[in-house]
Amino acid sequence: ADELERRGVPTLRELLEVVRRSGKGKLFACSGSLAALGLKPPDVEKAVDQIVGWTTILQRTAGATDRFFV
């Protein structure tokens, strides 16, 4: 991480913010993953566009050429 920062490579957080501002991407949180991590929706709802189940994520991204999971 230090080497990437030294080279000026944007962080994942910075890249996600650029995508969100562009209006060409949305950030979904999986409700099941939140539960597995011991998080509640209020813990993340300001950082994501929507909290949905895994099935919904797959349905909404069906046919997408680029789908990223972080």
Side-chain angles (χ1 to χ4, degrees):
D2 291 336
E3 179 65 21
L4 294 175
E5 184 177 329
R6 186 180 69 74
R7 292 179 182 217
V9 175
T11 65
L12 178 58
R13 184 182 306 269
E14 291 167 335
L15 292 172
L16 286 172
E17 188 56 36
V18 169
V19 171
R20 290 179 79 190
R21 280 196 315 258
S22 76
K24 295 184 179 190
K26 291 188 181 243
L27 184 59
F28 296 102
C30 175
S31 57
S33 294
L34 291 179
L37 294 170
L39 297 171
K40 305 245 185 276
D43 297 330
V44 299
E45 55 193 14
K46 289 184 180 179
V48 299
D49 293 305
Q50 193 171 3
I51 300 169
V52 296
W54 184 241
T55 303
T56 301
I57 292 171
L58 293 176
Q59 289 171 344
R60 290 189 180 181
T61 59
T65 55
D66 294 313
R67 187 185 310 167
F68 301 98
F69 306 100
V70 183

